[in-house]
Amino acid sequence: MDIIIIGLLLGGTYALIAMGLNLQYGVARIMNLANGEMLVAGGFTAFWFYTAGNISPLLTIFVVAPVAFAANWLIYRIMLEPLVRRAKSRGQLEVDSILATFGMSFIAVGLMLAFFGGDYFNYSYLSVPVIIMGETYAQNRVVAFASAVVICAILYAWITFSRPGLSLRALAVAPDSARLVGINVRSRAAIAFALGGAITAVGGALISSFLTLDASTGVVFTLKALIIVIMGGVGDVRGTIIAALLLGVVETLVASLIDPGLTLAAAYALFILILLFRPQGLFGRKPT
Amino acid sequence: MSSTEIQGFVFAALALLVAGALPYFGSDYVLSLGISIAMFTVLATSWALFSGPTHYISLATAAFFGLGTYTTGLGFESLPIWSLIILAGVLGAVLAALVGLATLRLSGVYFVIFTLGLAELIRQVITWGQNMTGQKGLYVLTDLTEAHLYQMLVALAALVFLVGWLIGRSRLGFALRIIGDDETVAAHSGINTAQAKVLLFMVSGAVAAMTGAILAPRYIYIEPSLAFTPLLSFQVVIMALLGGVHRLWGPIVGVIPFTLILETISANFPNQVTLFIGIVFLVIVYFIPRGFAGLIETVRNWSAWREARS
């Protein structure tokens, strides 16, 4: 039972990261493989603020979010828009954006290694036990989960009920028709990409409060986020959340019952099952 | 056979002879560079055989390569090396078929993501298996010298070029070019697209596994994190793209300069290797999407055009 709850707590943070990627891929149509590096950068900022100024990661996210938003907006405008403009088909954009974001991810890793070295970094924030239903859990995990839930809820409400959110959904479903009803596709896509990056960075700041990160762990999180997005269905917020919780639980089960070194293998097992049986996502409809 | 093809053959045979004779006149350092170049030539060319026409980016090279090294590592005491190389090829083809059947029916993104983590997945499973049995790494002690390994790699490279040339002329190669241009059209003209893609991916996987099997004795001691290093997959992708994947001779044009530069950088600035790889990725995407081969062809067309005008 406590394994499942730990898994759900982990899954909550995964959901946040995967939401970020889902906005970038589902709305802006950029397969961003440098997503994990944005997460590590967010985590590093939280680490730095905490060790240098003793500032809680929960406050740091209010700095991380706008900075990451601006950085990702610039990345989209400067680096990715030329690719979008050049691409003749969706497939070509996918190949180009995969290669370009691989390049960016290598550069990000290279820069982080150059500036901060290859050491692991972690800090101890709120690592005191709390008791829920008779079992003890680390408070930092619970706090990170609660923050992730709040952010997910705000994001979900914004996407579902606000007018800009509506235009993002339109963009995700039918990018060509969105233009016809007066949506500025370029600027909306840039905003979706920037928002996705900001959310991922915030997720990184939260996750750094209970996981140890280093400059080159980004790719592992990219992979997990990708698997979640595909499991949940591209552009499907509800599916993403459920898939993230599922992945968190499965990973924790495998780590505590079989071997902690097999977490990625567990994620892959889920991924293969989805590919074989429901390639359109957990709740997706079969393409006609 | 046309005269340009005969020219090409003569040129290829001469190049092969010179490359094969390298151990007789080169120093040890040159030979070890030669091994790197031969290894990446084989890997990048076989990668481009599949990814060139189809535009499916495979990041599974490290997985196949590691599979090959482990084949040799586990079997070199009981079986001769040539049979292990063949066995590695078979195993690589089987793994490629499994991966291909699971992902190549779907869109390209699934394939990229799946192959991205494949090496890491196998590495985790082998590490876990070793923990269970209490075994650490494997010692591969053979009496093969660097020169032997190098010549085996050159022979494998020759085989890859021959196979690539045959595929390019065959119905399969034609089918793949159509798939790369427009998959819907290919399916409508009666091509079994999934089958064609899986078949070619098997060729590419088998070759990468054979390369790993040949090179295992060079490492002497192999362990999962060494045999399945994910950076290898990226190096192969980047060299092939840098050279140009739409021509059979393209990748080698990328392999030679990239290996030499990478060697210099990792000798002098070992921490800047990832940064360098990232920058080259961006240069390829933004400035030379068709690689050096594309550049060479553009220059050639341009001068031909100028001649025709004058």
Side-chain angles (χ1 to χ4, degrees):
Chain A
M1 189 59 208
D2 57 330
I3 295 174
I4 291 176
I5 291 185
I6 292 177
L8 288 176
L9 293 179
L10 183 65
T13 335
Y14 281 172
L16 199 56
I17 300 159
M19 287 268 250
L21 187 71
N22 212 340
L23 275 174
Q24 295 185 325
Y25 183 51
V27 182
R29 309 275 159 188
I30 300 290
M31 185 42 128
N32 183 11
L33 296 171
N35 188 266
E37 275 64 42
M38 192 49 68
L39 179 147
V40 174
F44 194 84
T45 316
F47 165 76
W48 193 72
F49 271 68
Y50 189 76
T51 45
N54 215 1
I55 298 167
S56 144
L58 293 181
L59 293 175
T60 313
I61 61 176
F62 292 102
V63 180
V64 166
V67 172
F69 187 91
N72 278 279
W73 191 81
L74 286 175
I75 289 174
Y76 185 84
R77 280 279 150 147
I78 296 171
M79 307 289 287
L80 299 168
E81 228 178 70
L83 298 182
V84 176
R85 230 175 274 145
R86 175 173 98 181
K88 293 189 196 73
S89 65
R90 178 128 186 238
Q92 200 198 344
L93 177 61
E94 241 154 35
V95 172
D96 276 349
S97 63
I98 284 170
L99 293 174
T101 52
F102 263 141
M104 290 174 208
S105 115
F106 272 103
I107 289 177
V109 171
L111 289 178
M112 286 194 277
L113 279 176
F115 286 117
F116 311 125
D119 296 339
Y120 290 97
F121 58 90
N122 63 346
Y123 53 96
S124 113
Y125 167 71
L126 286 184
S127 55
V128 286
V130 285
I131 296 170
I132 302 171
M133 293 193 296
E135 303 275 355
T136 28
Y137 304 98
Q139 195 178 350
N140 49 21
R141 284 179 186 255
V142 179
V143 169
F145 176 76
S147 326
V149 168
V150 170
I151 296 169
C152 277
I154 294 173
L155 191 70
Y156 183 75
W158 185 73
I159 288 179
T160 320
F161 301 116
S162 80
R163 212 175 153 75
L166 180 70
S167 62
L168 290 193
R169 277 186 294 144
L171 209 55
V173 176
D176 293 329
S177 323
R179 195 191 301 265
L180 295 177
V181 293
I183 294 171
N184 186 342
V185 174
R186 289 268 158 73
S187 96
R188 286 283 175 239
I191 286 175
F193 188 84
L195 189 62
I199 289 169
T200 307
V202 168
L206 291 178
I207 225 170
S208 73
S209 68
F210 62 94
L211 284 186
T212 305
L213 301 173
D214 72 284
S216 45
T217 41
V219 65
V220 178
F221 289 101
T222 309
L223 258 179
K224 285 178 184 168
L226 287 168
I227 291 176
I228 293 169
V229 167
I230 288 169
M231 269 206 301
V234 176
D236 182 347
V237 174
R238 183 190 49 162
T240 304
I241 293 173
I242 292 176
L245 295 177
L246 188 65
L247 183 71
V249 171
V250 169
E251 245 187 53
T252 317
L253 277 176
V254 169
S256 44
L257 297 182
I258 306 175
D259 190 302
L262 285 176
T263 49
L264 194 72
Y268 252 71
L270 270 182
F271 187 35
I272 293 174
L273 288 178
I274 290 287
L275 284 185
L276 290 179
F277 300 109
R278 289 202 70 83
Q280 69 275 31
L282 282 177
F283 302 105
R285 268 180 242 120
K286 268 206 183 352
T288 44
Chain B
M1 207 182 277
S2 68
S3 66
T4 43
E5 276 181 331
I6 294 173
Q7 258 181 13
F9 259 105
V10 171
F11 181 73
L14 279 177
L16 190 66
L17 265 180
V18 173
L22 183 77
Y24 303 107
F25 58 81
S27 65
D28 283 353
Y29 175 68
V30 172
L31 183 62
S32 95
L33 267 184
I35 289 188
S36 295
I37 289 178
M39 161 181 149
F40 282 116
T41 301
V42 173
L43 292 176
T45 309
S46 66
W47 182 88
L49 280 184
F50 170 72
S51 298
T54 58
H55 309 300
Y56 278 69
I57 299 167
S58 158
L59 293 166
T61 313
F64 296 123
F65 186 87
L67 184 72
T69 46
Y70 263 81
T71 312
T72 305
L74 291 170
F76 77 97
E77 277 168 334
S78 39
L79 289 167
I81 180 89
W82 59 266
S83 63
L84 288 170
I85 296 172
I86 295 171
L87 179 66
V90 173
L91 291 175
V94 171
L95 179 65
L98 292 176
V99 174
L101 287 175
T103 54
L104 284 175
R105 298 172 300 133
L106 307 163
S107 88
V109 178
Y110 296 86
F111 179 73
V112 179
I113 299 166
F114 194 87
T115 55
L116 170 62
L118 187 65
E120 179 65 16
L121 168 72
I122 299 180
R123 190 187 69 76
Q124 284 196 348
V125 173
I126 291 186
T127 312
W128 176 68
Q130 288 185 340
N131 288 343
M132 296 307 263
T133 53
Q135 193 189 12
K136 284 280 165 251
L138 290 169
Y139 283 97
V140 188
L141 301 166
T142 58
D143 46 9
L144 294 165
T145 62
E146 294 242 301
H148 287 131
L149 302 181
Y150 172 76
Q151 279 167 339
M152 281 195 268
L153 281 177
V154 172
L156 185 60
L159 184 70
V160 169
F161 277 106
L162 186 67
V163 168
W165 181 71
L166 288 175
I167 289 178
R169 291 167 59 97
S170 70
R171 288 176 62 88
L172 178 64
F174 189 45
L176 280 161
R177 284 196 292 277
I178 302 177
I179 294 174
D181 280 343
D182 192 327
E183 199 152 341
T184 323
V185 169
H188 277 280
S189 39
I191 297 167
N192 187 341
T193 56
Q195 190 193 13
K197 286 185 283 186
V198 172
L199 270 178
L200 213 67
F201 188 49
M202 285 168 70
V203 172
S204 156
V207 172
M210 288 162 84
T211 316
I214 292 175
L215 280 169
R218 193 189 190 205
Y219 295 125
I220 298 172
Y221 178 75
I222 54 175
E223 55 168 6
S225 59
L226 191 87
F228 292 96
T229 165
L231 195 61
L232 181 75
S233 308
F234 288 101
Q235 285 173 325
V236 169
V237 172
I238 210 163
M239 290 183 203
L241 290 174
L242 185 66
V245 290
H246 58 291
R247 289 280 176 269
L248 188 57
W249 51 269
I252 197 169
V253 191
V255 165
I256 295 174
F258 192 88
T259 313
L260 296 178
I261 296 174
L262 197 66
E263 198 83 7
T264 321
I265 290 185
S266 48
N268 298 317
F269 317 96
N271 293 326
Q272 264 64 48
V273 172
T274 38
L275 193 60
F276 171 69
I277 290 181
I279 291 169
V280 178
F281 254 119
L282 292 187
V283 167
I284 292 173
V285 175
Y286 291 98
F287 301 110
I288 40 172
R290 280 158 55 79
F292 287 153
L295 278 186
I296 294 171
E297 280 166 358
T298 313
V299 171
R300 219 192 256 162
N301 289 344
W302 184 69
S303 52
W305 178 77
R306 280 223 331 188
E307 261 172 46
R309 259 171 57 116
S310 59

